[in-house]
Amino acid sequence: MADSHYDVIIVGTGAGGGTLANLLAASGKKILVLERGTFLPKEKANWDSEQVHKKERYLNSEVWHQKDGKPFRPLTHYYVGGNTKFYGAALFRFREQDFEKIIHKDGISLEWPLKYQDFAPYYTQAERLYEVHGQRGLDPTEPQRGEGYPFPPISHESFIQQIHDALKDKGYHPFYLPLGIKLNEANRFSSACIRCDTCDGFPCFLNAKADADINCVRPAIVYPNLTLMTNAKVLRLYTSASGREVTGVETEIAGQRHIFSGDIIVVACGAINSAVLLLKSANDQHPNGLANSSHLVGRNYMAHKFAVVMALTAKPNPTIYQKTLAINDFYWGEKDFPYPMGSIQLLGNLNKDKIAANGPPLMPSILSKTVANHSVAWLLITEDLPNPNNRVRVQGDKIFLDYTNNNEQAFHRLIKRWNQVLKLIEQRQQTGFSLYASTKMSLKEVSHQCGTCRFGEDPKTSVLDINCRTHDIDNLYVVDSSFFPSSTALNPSLTIMANALRVGEHLLERLR
């Protein structure tokens, strides 16, 4: 027996679910939002790098498995706001060509059924909602836009400005990273953000990061028609006898199981957990998992190819807030390599605890502190290509990520090329002796997960239609990064947010 009936049930409160809840809240419709986590505690430990990185205070305790069965702990977080509570708030629009079929050195990036112009107005809305700072006209790969960013760019501190100038001197095109932080540099007294060194990878103690919790969920829960239930883990979806509609959402709350029903069910658990939920909800009408007549639920998992290039210099790096600069000169390749290579952006500050957590065992504290104080870290992103054999699957209660690397040649070329650029600008920076170290991130890095329920017009080759409704089940939608046909080489958050606004507009029409 259902505990209650709602017009809309949203499962998850991250970039997709939280944004959608915010849009629908004012509709007057009866809405239930289910979140498996709690509100992230506001405590001093939010800014404690030892607690966050070494002791993994906020990381969930789940264990997933690689395709060979080897266990690993995924770097994912279950709180209101999802992984946006810990993201670096880099909010990029995908480029126009990203929505087209693209030939890579190691394969093909699929064409999207919708194009940039279909997403453009929702990108604009999402940038306003998430208070994005930036400056147009500096990045040659930047897509067309009808207006500038809602807020001015976050300035470079002196050390980063020197890097910016050195890159420009060599003919490159560095630009301000588009960022969703609540920093008012013109009037620091009225600024929520204090420009601290614990932002990228940390929750914000001051609620000054534009995340799905602060900017979307909290404004939404003031509406009496919207109910948020935390510590509410959705276990399974039930369908009618025909299998054409979801009739029940089984949820565990405080050890008790409840079943809620809704006219429209929206799954927004993240690309991995959304696929897991659909697969675990298999029944007689859907023996391979819900909405899986195409056999594509969980397949084509992508999460980007990440590398961190760290420049260690004799000159100390005094920068407090470092994540302000990006460069896309190699996004589409270069003269003698006519294939996409990827994007480059600064990471937030490295501190001794982050160095120690990712460095060799028993690294002396003085060494990790020295490395942190004399380094600049760059995040390199190469596109992860869709492959049906790269997949999320469920075996009993275990979650597996079957994954084989691809697009390696472009990835290695980007790493090598960026190391060459950094060495080229050494003299201009006057940093003294420098060393460069490159580290590839592992399977546990799932923050850019996408692709497990791709959208499209053909039910045989896609899970969702162009409105992100499942082809097989009339009242079931998936509104997170699952819908991506390709991963591009840019941070996915803004596209998830923009798509949630786009789908939300469709749902408002349907609810009328």
Side-chain angles (χ1 to χ4, degrees):
M1 180 179 292
D3 290 3
S4 191
H5 185 82
Y6 294 84
D7 295 310
V8 182
I9 298 176
I10 301 172
V11 185
T13 59
T19 304
L20 179 64
N22 182 274
L23 179 70
L24 298 183
S27 67
K29 298 298 181 179
K30 189 178 180 183
I31 300 166
L32 174 64
V33 181
L34 298 169
E35 168 55 52
R36 69 187 296 176
T38 63
F39 282 98
L40 192 142
K42 188 173 182 178
E43 56 189 2
K44 196 173 181 179
N46 294 166
W47 280 350
D48 188 328
S49 61
E50 181 177 10
Q51 289 289 329
V52 174
H53 297 295
K54 288 182 70 175
K55 297 186 177 181
E56 298 179 332
R57 183 181 184 89
Y58 302 110
L59 198 60
N60 78 86
S61 60
E62 281 190 335
V63 174
W64 297 351
H65 297 81
Q66 299 180 29
K67 63 181 177 181
D68 60 4
K70 185 178 179 180
F72 69 95
R73 284 189 68 196
L75 297 182
T76 190
H77 305 86
Y78 298 143
Y79 293 101
V80 176
N83 284 320
T84 67
K85 295 301 294 183
F86 292 82
Y87 74 165
L91 296 173
F92 279 96
R93 296 185 180 204
F94 288 172
R95 281 38 190 153
E96 287 106 332
Q97 194 177 336
D98 282 323
F99 295 89
E100 306 293 339
K101 178 181 177 180
I102 300 171
I103 305 300
H104 292 258
K105 180 65 175 175
D106 195 27
I108 295 174
S109 181
L110 297 183
E111 181 180 0
W112 291 43
L114 298 178
K115 304 302 181 185
Y116 172 78
Q117 59 267 27
D118 298 306
F119 286 89
Y122 303 103
Y123 275 136
T124 300
Q125 293 176 34
E127 286 170 344
R128 291 176 189 149
L129 182 60
Y130 284 88
E131 303 176 63
V132 181
H133 296 246
Q135 182 175 332
R136 67 175 179 177
L138 302 177
D139 173 16
T141 74
E142 183 180 37
Q144 293 183 358
R145 48 188 303 142
E147 57 187 77
Y149 285 93
F151 294 92
I154 305 300
S155 66
H156 305 311
E157 293 177 42
S158 176
F159 193 88
I160 304 306
Q161 186 65 47
Q162 291 175 36
I163 296 174
H164 170 276
D165 295 344
L167 288 167
K168 285 204 71 175
D169 283 354
K170 295 298 182 181
Y172 297 108
H173 302 84
F175 59 95
Y176 294 104
L177 198 60
L179 293 166
I181 61 173
K182 302 171 186 288
L183 177 61
N184 183 342
E185 294 193 280
N187 186 350
R188 296 292 286 270
F189 288 104
S190 66
S191 177
C193 174
I194 62 170
R195 194 171 182 135
C196 71
D197 61 354
T198 51
C199 184
D200 191 6
F202 291 82
C204 183
F205 178 73
L206 299 177
N207 294 340
K209 187 188 295 187
D211 62 44
D213 167 24
I214 301 303
N215 281 48
C216 291
V217 176
R218 297 197 195 191
I221 59 178
V222 302
Y223 288 87
N225 56 294
L226 187 145
T227 301
L228 170 66
M229 293 187 182
T230 59
N231 276 324
K233 182 180 180 181
V234 174
L235 305 175
R236 185 181 181 91
L237 304 178
Y238 294 94
T239 67
S240 61
S242 69
R244 285 295 298 160
E245 62 178 355
V246 173
T247 55
V249 179
E250 183 181 357
T251 309
E252 184 177 58
I253 304 172
Q256 300 293 316
R257 297 200 175 192
H258 304 259
I259 296 180
F260 303 101
S261 63
D263 294 335
I264 293 172
I265 311 300
V266 180
V267 174
C269 313
I272 294 169
N273 279 313
S274 286
V276 167
L277 179 58
L278 297 182
L279 292 171
K280 283 188 172 181
S281 299
N283 58 30
D284 290 342
Q285 292 77 29
H286 301 273
N288 299 310
L290 293 195
N292 200 20
S293 63
S294 64
H295 300 280
L296 288 174
V297 171
R299 292 189 180 271
N300 299 295
Y301 168 73
M302 299 168 283
H304 282 149
K305 304 185 70 61
F306 294 116
V308 174
V309 172
M310 187 170 68
L312 182 62
T313 67
K315 185 178 179 180
N317 176 8
T319 309
I320 297 172
Y321 183 85
Q322 180 171 280
K323 193 178 176 70
T324 57
L325 186 148
I327 184 168
N328 278 340
D329 286 62
F330 308 108
Y331 195 81
W332 299 119
E334 53 186 336
K335 187 175 181 180
D336 57 344
F337 189 80
Y339 302 99
M341 290 163 62
S343 65
I344 300 162
Q345 62 186 259
L346 279 170
L347 279 171
N349 298 59
L350 294 179
N351 54 63
K352 63 180 180 63
D353 296 306
K354 189 179 287 189
I355 294 289
N358 294 282
L362 304 178
M363 175 183 276
S365 179
I366 186 65
L367 178 57
S368 59
K369 183 176 181 179
T370 301
V371 170
N373 291 341
H374 288 78
S375 62
V376 179
W378 300 86
L379 177 65
L380 278 57
I381 303 175
T382 295
E383 183 160 352
D384 191 3
L385 302 179
N387 179 343
N389 294 320
N390 285 346
R391 62 185 294 202
V392 179
R393 62 183 174 89
V394 176
Q395 188 173 318
D397 290 330
K398 292 182 177 179
I399 296 173
F400 285 80
L401 287 187
D402 295 352
Y403 184 81
T404 301
N405 281 316
N406 61 56
N407 216 9
E408 289 285 282
Q409 190 169 336
F411 185 44
H412 292 150
R413 187 179 181 98
L414 182 64
I415 295 170
K416 181 179 179 180
R417 192 73 177 88
W418 189 239
N419 274 278
Q420 291 172 345
V421 171
L422 292 177
K423 291 174 183 176
L424 186 66
I425 65 174
E426 266 184 32
Q427 186 175 2
R428 172 69 166 77
Q429 289 178 264
Q430 298 180 337
T431 55
F433 177 73
S434 299
L435 292 173
Y436 302 96
S438 303
T439 304
K440 299 176 185 176
M441 296 189 191
S442 67
L443 189 65
K444 67 181 182 180
E445 305 282 349
V446 298
S447 59
H448 289 194
Q449 59 186 273
C450 61
T452 58
C453 298
R454 69 162 60 139
F455 79 153
E457 296 176 313
D458 185 350
K460 294 180 181 178
T461 59
S462 58
V463 176
L464 311 172
D465 69 13
I466 61 171
N467 291 315
C468 291
R469 181 185 66 86
T470 61
H471 289 297
D472 300 347
I473 301 175
D474 179 66
N475 68 334
L476 178 61
Y477 291 75
V478 181
V479 183
D480 53 32
S481 56
S482 300
F483 85 99
F484 286 23
S486 65
S487 67
T488 79
L490 292 167
N491 310 58
S493 297
L494 190 71
T495 300
I496 301 169
M497 297 159 179
N499 184 64
L501 295 171
R502 183 185 69 86
V503 174
E505 191 175 272
H506 159 78
L507 290 177
L508 288 173
E509 287 292 325
R510 177 168 175 166
L511 287 164
R512 285 180 181 171

